[in-house]
């Protein structure tokens, strides 16, 4: 008799009526774990967005220089500079500017660009497809390359075999994980666009997929190595579990052992890290977009910082931050679907 069967028999004896016949116990209603998860995540998301709004407003105050002087030009008279400051509302106290900024956000208005004179929402709408394309394609490359590579190295080096391969894998992935993205992007341009002109060094409308190759490689290389190392570590630990040893003892086919029984053990950590990497790619795309003249949010925010275009900086930082929060939310939902214990903050014990 199983433990559940034993528990049922015990419960039946305790809950049985005077004649000994079992009766149905009124089970207390249990709230779905998804309800608590949704409430916690909604509260966390609300607090995070409020903090992000405050930070995006304050961060532009730290940028040196005066936007009015940038707009009026270095030869403008003090009266003209003062007039522009009044028109932009920059002569108001900081707390008053923040209230105006928050009121605009509540109304769905990100403000107008100081430099381009168009709504910030229009600038973001025109550029965000490029950033999303770059980040999502890079993330797809990371998953397609890192998971098979980590699993393959684990299988090939199981039991201390092929020590050289294990050392080379650790050294190469550690090296490229530590190289900054702008260094990787610059080297790719020098090698594959200048020394060996195979691919365009910068974005051009007619380049098609060829213009996407170098930016994707620059953005995904470090993340691929980082994820492959995690997959390698987790899968090596999972290989020592009893049921994997039993599966090998039963001489199950290797694809069934590694893909059906081993791979699910690394999905949780892989999914969690993938969400963090994708969030980081939205921020990391800033440097890569500048190097390759990619017309996304990253290049726009750099231009806005140079020209002290406060509304554009605030709007892009806010949108990127919200995107990162949504990515983490989707990852948490997927983890909850795979392992319901994570909905209560617990994780799979490996």
């Amino acid at each position: 008799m199983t433990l559940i069967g034993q528990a049922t028999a015990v419960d039946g004896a305790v809950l049985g009526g005077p004649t000994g016949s079992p009766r149905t116990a009124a089970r207390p209603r249990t709230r779905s774990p998804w309800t608590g998860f949704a409430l916690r995540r909604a509260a966390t998301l609300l607090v995070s967005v409020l903090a992000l709004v405050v930070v995006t407003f304050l961060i532009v105050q730290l940028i040196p220089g005066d936007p009015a002087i940038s707009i009026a030009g270095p030869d403008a008279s003090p009266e003209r500079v003062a007039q522009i400051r009044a028109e932009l509302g920059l002569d108001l106290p900081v707390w008053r500017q923040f209230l105006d900024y928050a009121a605009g956000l509540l109304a769905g208005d990100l403000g107008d660009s100081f430099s381009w004179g168009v709504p910030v929402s229009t600038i973001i709408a025109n550029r965000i497809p490029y950033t999303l394309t770059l980040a999502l394609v890079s993330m797809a490359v990371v998953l397609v390359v890192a998971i098979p590579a980590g699993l393959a190295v684990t299988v090939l080096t199981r039991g201390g075999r092929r020590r050289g391969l294990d050392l080379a894998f650790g050294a190469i992935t550690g090296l490229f994980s530590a190289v900054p993205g702008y260094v990787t992007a610059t080297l790719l341009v020098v090698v594959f666009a200048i020394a060996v002109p195979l691919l365009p060094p910068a974005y051009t409308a007619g380049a098609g997929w060829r213009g996407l190759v170098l930016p994707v490689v620059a953005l995904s290389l470090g993340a691929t190595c980082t994820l492959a190392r995690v997959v390698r570590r987790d899968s090596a630990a999972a290989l020592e579990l009893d049921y994997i040893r039993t599966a090998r003892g039963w001489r199950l086919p290797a694809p069934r052992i590694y893909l059906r029984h081993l791979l699910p053990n690394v999905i949780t950590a892989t999914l969690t890290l993938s969400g963090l990497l994708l969030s980081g790619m939205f921020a990391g795309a800033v440097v890569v977009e500048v190097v390759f003249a990619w017309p996304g949010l990253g290049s726009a925010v750099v231009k806005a910082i140079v020209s002290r275009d406060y509304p554009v900086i605030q709007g892009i930082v806010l949108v990127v931050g919200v995107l990162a929060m949504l990515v983490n939310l989707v990852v948490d939902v997927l983890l909850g679907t795979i392992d319901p214990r994570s909905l209560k903050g617990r994780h799979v014990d490996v």
Side-chain angles (χ1 to χ4, degrees):
M1 181 179 295
T2 63
L3 292 176
I4 296 177
Q6 294 173 2
T8 304
V10 172
D11 291 344
V14 173
L15 297 175
T19 60
S21 60
R23 60 183 172 82
T24 303
R27 295 183 177 178
R29 287 187 176 181
T30 57
R31 193 175 62 178
S32 170
W34 285 102
T35 304
F37 170 79
L39 293 175
R40 287 195 304 273
R41 293 298 291 162
T44 303
L45 194 61
L46 178 61
V47 172
S48 300
V49 170
L50 291 177
L52 183 61
V53 169
V54 175
V55 171
T56 54
F57 174 79
L58 294 178
I59 196 172
V60 298
Q61 307 298 326
L62 302 177
I63 300 176
D66 191 339
I69 296 178
S70 299
I71 296 173
D75 299 329
S77 64
E79 292 78 11
R80 175 57 182 161
V81 173
Q83 179 186 0
I84 294 177
R85 286 180 58 81
E87 292 174 354
L88 299 178
L90 298 175
D91 58 338
L92 299 174
V94 175
W95 63 269
R96 176 65 182 280
Q97 294 181 41
F98 176 75
L99 291 180
D100 292 342
Y101 172 65
L105 292 180
L106 290 176
D109 183 13
L110 295 174
D112 294 334
S113 168
F114 291 167
S115 303
W116 294 304
V118 298
V120 175
S121 57
T122 301
I123 297 173
I124 294 175
N126 291 335
R127 289 177 173 267
I128 198 170
Y130 293 94
T131 298
L132 289 179
T133 300
L134 182 59
L136 295 179
V137 172
S138 300
M139 195 66 236
V141 171
V142 170
L143 295 176
V144 169
V145 175
I147 296 177
L151 288 175
V153 172
T154 300
V155 173
L156 291 174
T157 59
R158 178 172 58 86
R161 297 177 297 176
R162 299 181 178 88
R163 186 65 180 169
L165 174 62
D166 196 11
L167 293 174
F169 175 80
I172 293 173
T173 54
L175 172 64
F176 285 108
S177 297
V179 175
Y182 66 89
V183 175
T184 305
T186 304
L187 288 176
L188 289 173
V189 170
V190 171
V191 175
F192 296 103
I194 298 177
V196 184
L198 295 176
L199 296 167
Y203 171 83
T204 53
W209 64 269
R210 297 178 70 250
L212 190 62
V213 173
L214 292 183
V216 166
V217 173
L219 194 58
S220 62
L221 185 59
T224 300
C225 294
T226 300
L227 185 60
R229 291 169 66 89
V230 172
V231 173
R232 161 79 177 88
R233 183 202 62 191
D234 287 358
S235 56
L239 274 180
E240 302 302 323
L241 296 178
D242 291 339
Y243 77 96
I244 295 290
R245 293 178 177 176
T246 302
R248 288 203 301 267
W250 285 356
R251 298 186 182 280
L252 295 180
R256 184 175 177 182
I257 295 176
Y258 299 126
L259 298 181
R260 183 174 177 180
H261 299 290
L262 178 62
L263 183 60
N265 281 280
V266 301
I267 286 297
T268 303
T270 300
L271 199 56
T272 303
L273 183 58
S274 299
L276 297 175
L277 291 174
L278 182 56
S279 301
M281 283 182 180
F282 291 129
V286 172
V287 175
V288 174
E289 288 182 2
V290 171
V291 173
F292 294 101
W294 192 257
L297 294 177
S299 56
V301 78
V302 171
K303 294 178 182 177
I305 291 174
V306 173
S307 61
R308 301 174 184 84
D309 197 339
Y310 289 175
V312 174
I313 300 171
Q314 293 167 336
I316 291 178
V317 173
L318 185 63
V319 168
V320 171
V322 171
L323 281 176
M325 294 178 192
L326 294 178
V327 168
N328 290 327
L329 177 61
V330 171
V331 169
D332 288 343
V333 171
L334 293 176
L335 288 175
T337 304
I338 296 173
D339 180 15
R341 290 175 295 177
S342 66
L343 297 175
K344 298 181 180 179
R346 290 177 293 180
H347 300 283
V348 178
D349 296 327
V350 178

